[in-house]
Amino acid sequence: MYDVIVIGAGVSGAAAARELSRYKARICVIEKEEDVCCGTSKANSAIVHAGYDAVPGSLKAKLNVRGNQMMGELAKDLDFLFKRNGSLVICTEEEELPALQELYERGQINGVKDLRILSREETLAMEPNVTDCVCAALYAPTAGIICPFELNIALAENACTNGVEFRFDTEVEKIIKSEKGYELHTNKGIFRTKYVVNAAGVYADELHNMVSEKKIHITPRRGDYCLLDKAAGNHVGRTVFALPGKFGKGILVTPTVHGNLLVGPTAIDVGDKEGINTSRAGLEQVMEKAGLNVKNLPMRQVITSFAGLRAHEEQGDFLIGEVEDAKRFIDCAGIESPGIASCPAIGEMVAQIVRDKMKLEEKNNFISTRKGIRRPADLSKEERNELIRKEPAYGSIVCRCEMITEGEIIDAVRRPLGAKSLDGIKRRTRAGMGRCQSGFCSPRVMEILARERDVSMFDITKSGGKSQIVVGINKDAL
């Protein structure tokens, strides 16, 4: 019997688990995939929004601004990349100036600091590559960029260090109310818990509807992206948005914390909750509309494209709180944009709800900090040489595009909630994320994974499940 089971190991579930681990309770995170950060959290714009877009008074508005304020200190504590690079909302038509002013006023109500409306000249001086058609822009200096993988993994690792259990490849198939809470029937058996936190992303409606007569509906909203090489990374220094429409903030252009340039997303409602395939029409839309606000985009430098799903709930706001007709079942549903920016505050809110209802006592040994993987490329020459002298694996380059060493890959496997697949290594170290997209380094990464996990190369997968890479050979004959 657990005190709390969190369903879903994306940023919302991991943030809730980390905040709950401050208290004396038996906590478990159940995730249907083979690792953390396998759903919405792995494929998004990686933007820490300032908070001017959300409707005043909504949970999105409150938690976006609070999460943005928390992110800097959280990044220091958990050792992940975060940069306040600021954002611009571009206005290209004089008749749209009232809409830009409305965004400014909304931001003021929401408590966003230091917002300004810039003239055409001020905007071009700040970002010379925005469109020549610009007539004004909303500047939000508190907006930022982040690595969503690092954020998610850091939250989960810190929760694990503080005693939270994680069960992967475990899919909830049925939820039954019991006298003391809930029984979760999964493909790995039955789990019993007093409280449930439903942070299941695009599947959160299905879990909610198992226990409540008041149904909710989540539509997977697909976003297509193009990622450009680091040679294009300085094309803009700030995140550049179009004026928002009914489907969201439109096609953006932004630098990434690792030095690439990201363009996207589309907003296409789909019926398949696993429908993360890109489409030609979607990518053409990205390329066409991105150029409306940023000129001379070097789209020939695209190194990969991908798509992610946003969990759009029809009410249009985050759904966080105890379900009215299902006591002890806490929804954390409909977490779409600005979910990444809001996740520290989402975790805080969920933990406070559970703490107050269970009257949980705070630990006196909570560990609030975590160190990420050591990266020789970030060290001085002297420090790097000393590290390599002590641990020679840090002197062996495996991924040439990103200059990732064998030592970093070994660390990614051995640390709490260590990587088990090529994608797990990629998200923790960036091995395979460079210009050649793992064309060179994947065989060597597989060798290290097999050795460190003491498994056959036939058992190494791209992303868990049946995504084996070495197939079609009788391994018993080797």
Side-chain angles (χ1 to χ4, degrees), residues 291-306:
L292 297 178
N293 294 300
V294 178
K295 63 189 177 187
N296 302 323
L297 276 169
M299 297 306 292
R300 291 178 66 87
Q301 295 191 45
V302 171
I303 60 173
T304 191
S305 59
F306 63 92

PDB file of all heavy atoms in Angstrom, residues 291-306:
ATOM      1  N   GLY A 291       8.866  32.005 -41.814  1.00  0.00           N
ATOM      2  CA  GLY A 291       9.447  33.093 -42.581  1.00  0.00           C
ATOM      3  C   GLY A 291       8.634  34.370 -42.567  1.00  0.00           C
ATOM      4  O   GLY A 291       9.104  35.409 -43.045  1.00  0.00           O
ATOM      5  N   LEU A 292       7.406  34.329 -42.025  1.00  0.00           N
ATOM      6  CA  LEU A 292       6.588  35.537 -41.965  1.00  0.00           C
ATOM      7  C   LEU A 292       7.110  36.508 -40.917  1.00  0.00           C
ATOM      8  O   LEU A 292       6.865  37.713 -40.996  1.00  0.00           O
ATOM      9  CB  LEU A 292       5.132  35.169 -41.652  1.00  0.00           C
ATOM     10  CG  LEU A 292       4.410  34.311 -42.695  1.00  0.00           C
ATOM     11  CD1 LEU A 292       2.998  33.991 -42.221  1.00  0.00           C
ATOM     12  CD2 LEU A 292       4.375  35.025 -44.045  1.00  0.00           C
ATOM     13  N   ASN A 293       7.813  36.000 -39.898  1.00  0.00           N
ATOM     14  CA  ASN A 293       8.271  36.851 -38.803  1.00  0.00           C
ATOM     15  C   ASN A 293       9.791  36.952 -38.701  1.00  0.00           C
ATOM     16  O   ASN A 293      10.301  37.863 -38.065  1.00  0.00           O
ATOM     17  CB  ASN A 293       7.712  36.334 -37.473  1.00  0.00           C
ATOM     18  CG  ASN A 293       6.209  36.455 -37.403  1.00  0.00           C
ATOM     19  OD1 ASN A 293       5.660  37.536 -37.502  1.00  0.00           O
ATOM     20  ND2 ASN A 293       5.534  35.320 -37.254  1.00  0.00           N
ATOM     21  N   VAL A 294      10.499  35.999 -39.309  1.00  0.00           N
ATOM     22  CA  VAL A 294      11.963  36.026 -39.305  1.00  0.00           C
ATOM     23  C   VAL A 294      12.429  35.823 -40.743  1.00  0.00           C
ATOM     24  O   VAL A 294      12.062  34.844 -41.385  1.00  0.00           O
ATOM     25  CB  VAL A 294      12.542  34.932 -38.386  1.00  0.00           C
ATOM     26  CG1 VAL A 294      14.070  34.945 -38.448  1.00  0.00           C
ATOM     27  CG2 VAL A 294      12.072  35.124 -36.951  1.00  0.00           C
ATOM     28  N   LYS A 295      13.236  36.721 -41.235  1.00  0.00           N
ATOM     29  CA  LYS A 295      13.664  36.656 -42.639  1.00  0.00           C
ATOM     30  C   LYS A 295      14.952  35.838 -42.773  1.00  0.00           C
ATOM     31  O   LYS A 295      15.698  35.627 -41.810  1.00  0.00           O
ATOM     32  CB  LYS A 295      13.880  38.060 -43.179  1.00  0.00           C
ATOM     33  CG  LYS A 295      14.980  38.841 -42.478  1.00  0.00           C
ATOM     34  CD  LYS A 295      15.001  40.289 -42.916  1.00  0.00           C
ATOM     35  CE  LYS A 295      16.063  41.084 -42.145  1.00  0.00           C
ATOM     36  NZ  LYS A 295      16.007  42.519 -42.434  1.00  0.00           N
ATOM     37  N   ASN A 296      15.175  35.382 -43.977  1.00  0.00           N
ATOM     38  CA  ASN A 296      16.419  34.692 -44.352  1.00  0.00           C
ATOM     39  C   ASN A 296      16.718  33.463 -43.488  1.00  0.00           C
ATOM     40  O   ASN A 296      17.880  33.161 -43.198  1.00  0.00           O
ATOM     41  CB  ASN A 296      17.610  35.658 -44.286  1.00  0.00           C
ATOM     42  CG  ASN A 296      17.433  36.865 -45.182  1.00  0.00           C
ATOM     43  OD1 ASN A 296      16.893  36.753 -46.281  1.00  0.00           O
ATOM     44  ND2 ASN A 296      17.861  38.030 -44.710  1.00  0.00           N
ATOM     45  N   LEU A 297      15.681  32.755 -43.099  1.00  0.00           N
ATOM     46  CA  LEU A 297      15.911  31.544 -42.309  1.00  0.00           C
ATOM     47  C   LEU A 297      16.671  30.515 -43.151  1.00  0.00           C
ATOM     48  O   LEU A 297      16.250  30.183 -44.261  1.00  0.00           O
ATOM     49  CB  LEU A 297      14.580  30.937 -41.848  1.00  0.00           C
ATOM     50  CG  LEU A 297      13.973  31.526 -40.575  1.00  0.00           C
ATOM     51  CD1 LEU A 297      12.550  31.017 -40.393  1.00  0.00           C
ATOM     52  CD2 LEU A 297      14.821  31.207 -39.359  1.00  0.00           C
ATOM     53  N   PRO A 298      17.769  29.979 -42.647  1.00  0.00           N
ATOM     54  CA  PRO A 298      18.571  29.031 -43.432  1.00  0.00           C
ATOM     55  C   PRO A 298      18.009  27.609 -43.341  1.00  0.00           C
ATOM     56  O   PRO A 298      18.612  26.711 -42.758  1.00  0.00           O
ATOM     57  CB  PRO A 298      19.954  29.138 -42.768  1.00  0.00           C
ATOM     58  CG  PRO A 298      19.662  29.480 -41.350  1.00  0.00           C
ATOM     59  CD  PRO A 298      18.412  30.317 -41.362  1.00  0.00           C
ATOM     60  N   MET A 299      16.849  27.396 -43.952  1.00  0.00           N
ATOM     61  CA  MET A 299      16.153  26.115 -43.797  1.00  0.00           C
ATOM     62  C   MET A 299      16.896  24.952 -44.448  1.00  0.00           C
ATOM     63  O   MET A 299      16.565  23.789 -44.194  1.00  0.00           O
ATOM     64  CB  MET A 299      14.727  26.222 -44.346  1.00  0.00           C
ATOM     65  CG  MET A 299      13.844  27.222 -43.620  1.00  0.00           C
ATOM     66  SD  MET A 299      13.736  26.984 -41.824  1.00  0.00           S
ATOM     67  CE  MET A 299      12.834  25.441 -41.719  1.00  0.00           C
ATOM     68  N   ARG A 300      17.893  25.223 -45.263  1.00  0.00           N
ATOM     69  CA  ARG A 300      18.707  24.134 -45.815  1.00  0.00           C
ATOM     70  C   ARG A 300      19.601  23.514 -44.736  1.00  0.00           C
ATOM     71  O   ARG A 300      20.232  22.481 -44.976  1.00  0.00           O
ATOM     72  CB  ARG A 300      19.559  24.651 -46.982  1.00  0.00           C
ATOM     73  CG  ARG A 300      18.746  25.007 -48.219  1.00  0.00           C
ATOM     74  CD  ARG A 300      19.640  25.555 -49.324  1.00  0.00           C
ATOM     75  NE  ARG A 300      20.549  24.527 -49.828  1.00  0.00           N
ATOM     76  CZ  ARG A 300      20.266  23.666 -50.789  1.00  0.00           C
ATOM     77  NH1 ARG A 300      19.069  23.709 -51.366  1.00  0.00           N
ATOM     78  NH2 ARG A 300      21.147  22.785 -51.205  1.00  0.00           N
ATOM     79  N   GLN A 301      19.647  24.135 -43.572  1.00  0.00           N
ATOM     80  CA  GLN A 301      20.461  23.616 -42.483  1.00  0.00           C
ATOM     81  C   GLN A 301      19.647  22.801 -41.475  1.00  0.00           C
ATOM     82  O   GLN A 301      20.107  22.549 -40.360  1.00  0.00           O
ATOM     83  CB  GLN A 301      21.184  24.759 -41.772  1.00  0.00           C
ATOM     84  CG  GLN A 301      22.198  25.454 -42.670  1.00  0.00           C
ATOM     85  CD  GLN A 301      23.100  26.390 -41.895  1.00  0.00           C
ATOM     86  OE1 GLN A 301      23.593  26.048 -40.833  1.00  0.00           O
ATOM     87  NE2 GLN A 301      23.329  27.574 -42.440  1.00  0.00           N
ATOM     88  N   VAL A 302      18.441  22.396 -41.849  1.00  0.00           N
ATOM     89  CA  VAL A 302      17.656  21.506 -40.986  1.00  0.00           C
ATOM     90  C   VAL A 302      18.395  20.172 -40.845  1.00  0.00           C
ATOM     91  O   VAL A 302      18.775  19.555 -41.855  1.00  0.00           O
ATOM     92  CB  VAL A 302      16.248  21.271 -41.577  1.00  0.00           C
ATOM     93  CG1 VAL A 302      15.511  20.172 -40.808  1.00  0.00           C
ATOM     94  CG2 VAL A 302      15.440  22.571 -41.548  1.00  0.00           C
ATOM     95  N   ILE A 303      18.598  19.720 -39.608  1.00  0.00           N
ATOM     96  CA  ILE A 303      19.260  18.427 -39.390  1.00  0.00           C
ATOM     97  C   ILE A 303      18.284  17.339 -38.983  1.00  0.00           C
ATOM     98  O   ILE A 303      18.581  16.146 -39.107  1.00  0.00           O
ATOM     99  CB  ILE A 303      20.403  18.531 -38.358  1.00  0.00           C
ATOM    100  CG1 ILE A 303      19.883  19.010 -37.000  1.00  0.00           C
ATOM    101  CG2 ILE A 303      21.514  19.425 -38.879  1.00  0.00           C
ATOM    102  CD1 ILE A 303      20.941  18.972 -35.895  1.00  0.00           C
ATOM    103  N   THR A 304      17.102  17.737 -38.488  1.00  0.00           N
ATOM    104  CA  THR A 304      16.072  16.737 -38.192  1.00  0.00           C
ATOM    105  C   THR A 304      14.728  17.434 -38.052  1.00  0.00           C
ATOM    106  O   THR A 304      14.659  18.654 -37.882  1.00  0.00           O
ATOM    107  CB  THR A 304      16.397  15.953 -36.901  1.00  0.00           C
ATOM    108  OG1 THR A 304      15.511  14.828 -36.788  1.00  0.00           O
ATOM    109  CG2 THR A 304      16.244  16.812 -35.653  1.00  0.00           C
ATOM    110  N   SER A 305      13.683  16.656 -38.150  1.00  0.00           N
ATOM    111  CA  SER A 305      12.330  17.146 -37.866  1.00  0.00           C
ATOM    112  C   SER A 305      11.675  16.168 -36.912  1.00  0.00           C
ATOM    113  O   SER A 305      12.054  14.995 -36.841  1.00  0.00           O
ATOM    114  CB  SER A 305      11.507  17.283 -39.152  1.00  0.00           C
ATOM    115  OG  SER A 305      11.403  16.028 -39.811  1.00  0.00           O
ATOM    116  N   PHE A 306      10.708  16.649 -36.152  1.00  0.00           N
ATOM    117  CA  PHE A 306      10.017  15.782 -35.194  1.00  0.00           C
ATOM    118  C   PHE A 306       8.656  16.384 -34.880  1.00  0.00           C
ATOM    119  O   PHE A 306       8.363  17.521 -35.274  1.00  0.00           O
ATOM    120  CB  PHE A 306      10.843  15.609 -33.908  1.00  0.00           C
ATOM    121  CG  PHE A 306      11.069  16.889 -33.140  1.00  0.00           C
ATOM    122  CD1 PHE A 306      10.208  17.278 -32.126  1.00  0.00           C
ATOM    123  CD2 PHE A 306      12.151  17.711 -33.439  1.00  0.00           C
ATOM    124  CE1 PHE A 306      10.421  18.455 -31.418  1.00  0.00           C
ATOM    125  CE2 PHE A 306      12.385  18.890 -32.744  1.00  0.00           C
ATOM    126  CZ  PHE A 306      11.503  19.266 -31.723  1.00  0.00           C
TER     127      PHE A 306
END
